[in-house]
Amino acid sequence: MKKLEKSKLIGDKTVQISGSKSISNRLLILESLFKNIKIGNLSNSQDTQLLKKALSETTETVDIHHAGTAMRFLTSYYSIAEGKTTILTGSKRMKERPIKNLASALQDLDIEIEYMENEGFPPLKITGKKITQTQVNVPANISSQFITSLLLIAGKLENGLEINLVGEVTSRSYIEMTLDILTKFGIKNSFVGNVIKVESFINDHSSIINYEVESDWSSASYFYSICALGRETIHLKSFYKESTQGDSAIAKIYEEFFGIKTTFSEDEHKLTLQPDPNFSFPEKIILDMNNCPDIAQTLCVTAAALKIPFEISGLGTLKVKETDRLSALHIELKKLGTETEITDLTIKSISFNEPEENISIKTYQDHRMAMSFAPFCLIKELHIEEENVVEKSYPMFWEDLSQILMK
């Protein structure tokens, strides 16, 4: 259990954040498929390390533990490993996370996938083969990682792939991130309306592509929360002004609702978070976070700490993450004195009361629960249970946090 004493933010400190987990994991799949990629600033997250290890496995059974991204990306990856049978499994929670929509899409492409325990859930038995079909339909409102999983293998297929997204697209920014990465590697693609087309890519092994991974905007979000509560300047490295990461929306959101201005230093790839001393907080935050649901927990805790009423929608994917994040938020925000009401898609504050005397935040084995609640130590002492869950995406979080806080 991590004890966080009531603290103050030390101004003008710089934090170096590891490479984006989202980008790193996409690059690892492409590196394994096409061989001519050299990756710099790879994420040091547990998820990325688990994926990297899995890609080097020679055994039939591959265990990715809690790494949801690895489960989804590897499902498609092993599907095109001709003549190879792979059993893809994970932790108890992973076996509760649905994968049917992705598996069904691959089955429609004539891949043999067998559910070894429960229908629609891991573990999977995948028999790899050559895909010759060119079209597949996928529900648009599912996790964008299902769609990305298919996109990452599409350039390797001899006829390319056309994905028809049925319904309203969720987390579009993550799909566009994937397509941007494919474009950088010369894999031609288009995304018009609800149709994504990826052309077959003939690999030129003679030329090495160097890719320096931008730091992780999801990890940066916690420092936006700290800045909003502590009202001191923070510097973060290494980030780009024109980012393809969906969670870069945090900059605009925190400027609008919490008065945190973001400035970029192009030569140092550094961003500066600076609170506006004359900012007037809004009467209410109403926001659709369909394109950036992973930073919803951070925003809710910030708003709760400042007692700003909020109504957040577009959160349908949060129920199938590491935990049911909407239920977890509803329970844990109450300890901060914030009563909420949740549906399958939304969370709304109902009232603000005094925080509990001895706050102990349960993480539900979810890294984002630990890190999103940590900034509340600027308001009141609290404890974070299972503090090691941060290793999933940001192993250095507690060390970095300690460098910018004083008791």
Side-chain angles (χ1 to χ4, degrees), residues 253 256-258 282-289 299 303 308-314 346-349:
I253 291 170
E256 180 179 355
F257 295 114
F258 304 113
E283 291 184 7
K284 188 173 186 179
I285 297 171
I286 300 177
L287 193 60
D288 182 345
M289 300 187 76
L299 183 136
I308 302 173
F310 57 88
E311 187 172 338
I312 313 300
S313 59
T346 65
I347 183 167
K348 177 172 68 172
S349 63

Side-chain angles (χ1 to χ4, degrees), residues 171-189:
S171 300
R172 187 184 186 98
S173 59
Y174 283 96
I175 299 171
E176 291 173 341
M177 175 205 292
T178 305
L179 295 175
D180 180 74
I181 292 171
L182 296 183
T183 299
K184 284 183 169 68
F185 288 114
I187 302 174
K188 294 181 180 178
N189 61 80

Side-chain angles (χ1 to χ4, degrees), residues 307 334-337 352-356:
K307 293 183 167 53
K334 188 178 294 186
K335 298 174 182 177
L336 309 189
F352 297 103
N353 308 295
E354 285 302 307
E356 292 181 0

Side-chain angles (χ1 to χ4, degrees), residues 352-371:
F352 297 103
N353 308 295
E354 285 302 307
E356 292 181 0
E357 274 308 307
N358 297 301
I359 302 173
S360 183
I361 299 299
K362 189 176 178 181
T363 59
Y364 308 86
Q365 296 185 325
D366 182 357
H367 54 131
R368 300 206 189 285
M369 286 298 291
M371 293 183 285

Side-chain angles (χ1 to χ4, degrees), residues 27-68:
L27 292 176
L28 285 175
I29 296 292
L30 293 172
E31 178 188 49
S32 188
L33 289 174
F34 296 108
K35 310 300 182 187
N36 63 330
I37 299 168
K38 186 176 180 181
I39 307 171
N41 196 33
L42 190 73
S43 170
N44 62 1
S45 68
Q46 187 180 68
D47 271 17
T48 297
Q49 300 309 312
L50 283 168
L51 177 57
K52 188 175 182 179
K53 181 177 182 292
L55 288 167
S56 66
E57 293 282 7
T58 56
T59 56
E60 182 180 72
T61 299
V62 177
D63 186 347
I64 52 76
H65 303 284
H66 297 306

